[in-house]
Amino acid sequence: MRIAGIILAGGQSRRMNGRDKAMLPFGDRRLIDHVHERLSRQVETIALNSNADTAGFADLNVPVIADDIHGFAGPLAGIHAGMEWAAAQPLPFSHILSVATDTPFFPDELLARISQTILDADRHIGIAASGGRVHPTFGLWPVSLRSDLKHWLDDPANRRVTAWLQRHPHRVVEFPLVRARTGDPFDPFFNINTPADIAAARQHWKTAE
């Protein structure tokens, strides 16, 4: 497998009052900086899926790719854009590892564990889960599925990641909850959707440092 990382940051941040979640202050940097750093420890090549002004991401020195499905079609549109970008490289990638920009604590062993799970079946999709809940934006996707995904997205009724996932062979990888310094269990896939979520994430980041 030849794998590129894709950060999914193409959403509209409706529950964040329209503020671009990728640009939210987080610790001493922005949320996107933490996600990019964590992913860069796992893959050498990263691209960013965003429909915002690319100038804000210039300091990351990564390709920024917009959805090629119109109308903010959700995470699947970002995954498809990532697949098309990966296939078009001079040395094409066979898979993309997708991560969400609003989930800054995802496991450092994300790629290692998912890739190991599909090593004997590299046409399968590998998807992360924790606490018995699947996280469909954290997956290892065969780029060969891009035409099928495009056909699926051509129907405006088809937007749910899990619905398309169920159409294809896939394996789910369960990641354990971690122990916060407070002693409470913490989901490494905790994602930020609201102002209350970003406050909770900032507090966890402070105690985890």
Side-chain angles (χ1 to χ4, degrees), residues 5 8 10 12 14 21-22 24 29 38 40 42 46 51 59 62 70 95 99-102 104 109 140 152 175 201:
L8 300 176
Q12 294 179 286
R14 289 191 181 94
K21 287 190 284 187
L24 290 174
R29 293 173 290 168
R38 189 168 290 259
S40 67
Q42 304 185 45
I46 295 174
N51 298 300
D59 58 324
V62 299
H70 297 296
H95 293 71
V99 303
T101 193
D102 62 1
E109 68 277 15
L140 188 57
W152 170 262
F175 288 82

Side-chain angles (χ1 to χ4, degrees), residues 1 3 83 94-97 114-127 139-145 164-173:
M1 288 184 283
I3 302 167
M83 287 178 171
S94 63
H95 293 71
I96 59 168
L97 176 71
I114 295 181
S115 61
Q116 184 63 36
T117 300
I118 65 167
L119 196 60
D120 64 336
D122 61 7
R123 291 185 178 274
H124 282 53
I125 301 167
I127 293 292
L140 188 57
W141 309 87
V143 172
S144 59
L145 293 176
W164 186 71
L165 181 65
Q166 294 300 327
R167 292 165 48 89
H168 299 280
H170 63 279
R171 295 176 181 176
V172 176
V173 183

